Amino acid sequence: MNRKLLDPFAPEYPEAIEACLDDEYAVKCAFSHHGSLLATARSDGRCYIWDMDTLNVMRKLEHSDAALTGISWSRSGRYILTFDEAGLCILWDLKTGEQRARAEFDSAIVSARVHPRNSLQFIVCPAREAPCLVTVDGGVDRIRIVPEGVDLGTKAAAGTCCCFGKKGRHVFVGTSKGSVFAVHVESRSVVCSVKLSPSAVNTIARNPRGTDIVTNSTDRILRVCDVVLPDPAGGPIDVEPSIRVVNKITDSVNRVSWLQAVFSSSGDYIVAAVDHKAEHNMYVWDKATSSLVKMLTGPNELLEDCAVHPLRPIYASISTFGIIYLWTRLPQQNWNAFAPGFRELEENIDYVEPEDEFDRKVTNSDGVLVDCAELRAGRESRNSGGEEEGDVVIDVTEDDPLFSDSDSDSEDEGFVLPVVVEFDPDVLPMAVPSTEESVPKDDDGRAMDIDQGYVVEEP
């Protein structure tokens, strides 16, 4: 699909369910950075990677026997992080299909994210331990977000959710006491913090097009926070670090609880999934005005998780039965933009064929015999104004700004998931002998063909 030919004023949110993917044990889902792949975490300890073009499973990762609690993609799409309720985190290299790193903890993992610039570093939030920053071949560093007197190996020092900033220089950690901490990644020290509410912070997500974040708390309020942090690489340096709540979003009528809250692809909307046992609904809120823009209503099934496509108006949601619903907006086809003079018909019309339409030569009113092909060519040249259409040169070398990121310094930005062919001996045909000694021959020494296991003599 050519994104440049789409309507730039079309809404960024979908309208209805277009496709369903049957994944019996899926509980979590996440799109890759470019949106070409969709990963699902399953309750049986496996991770499936789906291709968004063919809607087929391209890779199956065997994590462990414990149920997965989440997944996280690297920026390049080459690495993916899986973590479970037994405290095991595995960083997979999809290019080789092998495990790149493993980290084990004493409690379940409630949240984990891969660094947006360093694919070999990730943050982990165990349920009964302090948040840890894991670096491949570099060890595990605990992050202290509590006073010095609190033991880091207890639940009092644990975090409930986490996410990196846009550049990866800071990480945001939410706690069960309603606070959000901004931690500097290099120094592992707390830069600033804010008390949002007395209730726990369940989820936290950053804006892909800005520096603000959105939090989801147990008090059923979504809070959009403006983050101001010093940025040595081109940003403000002499500023006071702060996290300030600029907007609050809540359903004052139904007072529903929220399961997940994330930003849209442009960062102008907040997508919130409803936590209800008999509803599969998602609300789309305007970030600036806190007004409800769209309510997506699905089947009467419990909603487990949702994800937003990074480029297109596509949402993915998982029901309690393991069905993945893909919500999208079908683009309106405007054929007049491609063929000037093309007329769209609202209903079929009867076409009356002229008597001389397919004649090669006809006689005009002057009695002169003329060629119909020349008449049609002259008529078309007059309609086009005498302009000749030249060859169209298609540029396939330059990066499309819609799919590339000028700020990215990753070496694997152009990574494409290789196809792995699974060997199944039950469906392969019988092998034909390759050596001369094994080829069957008749009495005269002539070779005979083998067709589906039967020896057939050559004529």
Side-chain angles (χ1 to χ4, degrees):
M1 181 187 65
N2 193 342
R3 288 175 50 89
K4 295 181 179 180
L5 298 179
L6 296 181
D7 185 8
F9 302 102
E12 301 177 8
Y13 45 84
E15 292 182 344
I17 298 175
E18 181 186 12
C20 299
L21 306 178
D22 190 4
D23 193 346
E24 184 178 0
Y25 299 100
V27 292
K28 298 289 183 179
C29 62
F31 283 101
S32 61
H33 178 66
H34 296 288
S36 59
L37 301 174
L38 175 68
T40 57
R42 296 161 53 98
S43 59
D44 60 353
R46 293 190 292 179
C47 175
Y48 282 7
I49 299 178
W50 299 78
D51 184 14
M52 290 303 297
D53 292 332
T54 62
L55 300 183
N56 293 325
V57 179
M58 294 191 63
R59 192 68 58 88
K60 299 179 181 180
L61 305 177
E62 300 286 343
H63 179 88
S64 65
D65 295 334
L68 295 180
T69 56
I71 47 181
S72 177
W73 284 92
S74 67
R75 186 180 187 84
S76 62
R78 174 176 176 177
Y79 298 94
I80 185 172
L81 178 68
T82 59
F83 46 96
D84 58 17
E85 61 183 11
L88 175 62
C89 292
I90 299 179
L91 184 65
W92 298 85
D93 187 355
L94 298 181
K95 184 176 182 179
T96 60
E98 299 178 353
Q99 299 180 10
R100 184 63 178 83
R102 291 170 61 97
E104 297 183 6
F105 300 88
D106 297 333
S107 58
I109 308 299
V110 295
S111 180
R113 293 293 181 269
V114 180
H115 196 283
R117 290 297 185 268
N118 185 6
S119 301
L120 301 181
Q121 190 178 52
F122 53 91
I123 181 73
V124 181
C125 285
R128 299 182 180 274
E129 302 178 38
C132 300
L133 189 64
V134 182
T135 305
V136 178
D137 302 331
V140 179
D141 297 331
R142 289 185 175 181
I143 300 176
R144 178 178 290 276
I145 57 176
V146 292
E148 293 293 337
V150 181
D151 186 8
L152 295 181
T154 60
K155 186 178 180 180
T160 57
C161 55
C162 62
C163 77
F164 279 98
K166 184 177 181 180
K167 300 295 183 179
R169 297 185 179 91
H170 299 85
V171 60
F172 303 96
V173 180
T175 64
S176 59
K177 296 182 179 180
S179 300
V180 174
F181 294 85
V183 181
H184 193 261
V185 174
E186 294 183 359
S187 62
R188 273 70 165 171
S189 60
V190 177
V191 178
C192 63
S193 62
V194 62
K195 180 75 172 180
L196 298 179
S197 66
S199 57
V201 180
N202 297 329
T203 62
I204 183 171
R206 68 174 177 88
N207 190 345
R209 299 292 185 265
T211 58
D212 49 345
I213 59 176
V214 59
T215 62
N216 171 30
S217 303
T218 312
D219 58 359
R220 305 177 181 181
I221 299 178
L222 305 178
R223 294 174 174 85
V224 181
C225 303
D226 184 23
V227 180
V228 178
L229 296 173
D231 187 6
I237 301 178
D238 299 333
V239 296
E240 184 68 21
S242 64
I243 301 176
R244 182 173 56 91
V245 178
V246 296
N247 210 345
K248 294 183 180 181
I249 299 174
T250 181
D251 188 357
S252 58
V253 178
N254 300 323
R255 295 292 298 172
V256 296
S257 300
W258 307 109
L259 178 69
Q260 179 74 278
V262 294
F263 284 94
S264 63
S265 58
S266 65
D268 297 332
Y269 300 96
I270 304 294
V271 183
V274 176
D275 186 8
H276 194 277
K277 62 181 179 180
E279 292 183 358
H280 194 98
N281 300 338
M282 290 185 293
Y283 288 53
V284 181
W285 302 85
D286 190 289
K287 183 187 69 172
T289 62
S290 300
S291 59
L292 182 62
V293 178
K294 183 71 175 180
M295 181 174 136
L296 302 177
T297 304
N300 296 329
E301 301 173 0
L302 176 64
L303 181 62
E304 294 284 350
D305 192 24
C306 69
V308 177
H309 195 280
L311 299 175
R312 299 170 56 188
I314 298 177
Y315 297 169
S317 62
I318 300 180
S319 69
T320 186
F321 300 108
I323 301 177
I324 306 171
Y325 296 102
L326 297 179
W327 305 71
T328 185
R329 171 185 293 271
L330 298 178
Q332 298 295 330
Q333 297 179 353
N334 185 12
W335 295 102
N336 293 328
F338 300 96
F342 184 86
R343 184 166 60 96
E344 297 182 3
L345 302 178
E346 297 181 357
E347 58 182 7
N348 296 334
I349 61 175
D350 296 333
Y351 175 70
V352 180
E353 177 185 333
E355 182 179 357
D356 58 348
E357 181 175 4
F358 298 100
D359 295 342
R360 291 187 175 182
K361 294 183 178 181
V362 294
T363 303
N364 56 11
S365 58
D366 298 335
V368 180
L369 190 64
V370 296
D371 193 351
C372 294
E374 296 179 356
L375 290 178
R376 296 192 188 98
R379 191 182 302 112
E380 292 177 357
S381 62
R382 288 192 300 270
N383 294 335
S384 61
E387 298 180 357
E388 296 183 0
E389 182 180 1
D391 297 336
V392 178
V393 179
I394 301 176
D395 186 10
V396 296
T397 57
E398 295 185 0
D399 294 335
D400 189 349
L402 294 172
F403 294 93
S404 61
D405 191 353
S406 59
D407 296 335
S408 176
D409 52 1
S410 176
E411 297 179 356
D412 301 321
E413 195 65 28
F415 173 76
V416 178
L417 182 65
V419 178
V420 178
V421 180
E422 297 182 356
F423 176 76
D424 191 354
D426 297 334
V427 299
L428 291 178
M430 182 177 297
V432 179
S434 57
T435 60
E436 184 178 356
E437 291 78 7
S438 59
V439 176
K441 300 180 180 180
D442 57 4
D443 298 337
D444 298 335
R446 294 180 302 174
M448 294 184 295
D449 293 337
I450 298 180
D451 184 13
Q452 298 181 357
Y454 297 98
V455 178
V456 181
E457 184 178 356
E458 292 181 351

